[in-house]
Amino acid sequence: GIVKQSGGAIYVYSEPGQGTTFKIYLPRLEEIAGAATAKLSPEEIPSGTETILIAEDEGALRNIVSKILRGLGYTVLTAVDGEDALRVAAEHDGPIHLLLTDVIMPGIGGRELSDRLVQLRPALRVLYLSGYTDDSVIAQGARSNQIDFLQKPIASVELAKKVRGV
């Protein structure tokens, strides 16, 4: 999905007993993007104090996102999937301001999870994450003008800005 979104292509050649070759072609960069090379000062990275529930089945991503958000001052609750997120939310006495959820997870997916949690906590905001291509996400019903969405992989500054915005 990342290669395709970047205007590239992947060619795969596989032969039994010989192995598989992947050739990845990406468009050539003609010039260095100035904005991408600029560093932001810590004061320019938005932070907060709200409580965020992260529902992400990919452990490494869940850990790094929670570490980033904790470092920005947020209280972070984590769940390994949708069912775990429902349990964590039920056991948490205080408010949960934001649900940060993967769209596609085993069992209860992000869309169903958000629908169920918003019924229990009407003030809850939702931010969806997905590593799938846009068509897969649209088919799951998580892309529209009213829904906040981040495409994986995500940069920490992009995550901080989107979380603060939502």
Side-chain angles (χ1 to χ4, degrees), residues 151-165:
Q151 181 76 37
K152 296 179 198 174
I154 39 178
S156 56
V157 173
E158 180 185 1
L159 173 67
K161 287 180 178 180
K162 190 69 172 186
V163 164
R164 186 75 256 146

Side-chain angles (χ1 to χ4, degrees), residues 4 25 40 44-45 67 76 86 89 101 111 117 136-137 139 154 157 165:
K4 195 173 183 181
Y25 296 91
L40 291 177
E44 294 177 280
I45 300 173
K67 184 177 180 179
V76 178
L86 291 171
T101 182
R111 187 60 189 244
L117 283 178
S136 297
V137 175
I154 39 178
V157 173

Side-chain angles (χ1 to χ4, degrees), residues 68-83:
I68 290 167
L69 294 174
R70 281 188 182 106
L72 293 171
Y74 295 100
T75 299
V76 178
L77 309 170
T78 59
V80 299
D81 57 27
E83 290 176 11

Side-chain angles (χ1 to χ4, degrees), residues 52-59 62 76-89 99-101 105 113:
I52 300 172
L53 171 57
I54 300 171
E56 169 60 60
D57 59 322
E58 188 180 323
R62 183 178 58 250
V76 178
L77 309 170
T78 59
V80 299
D81 57 27
E83 290 176 11
D84 190 33
L86 291 171
R87 181 191 58 75
V88 169
L99 169 64
L100 181 60
T101 182
M105 294 184 288
L113 171 63

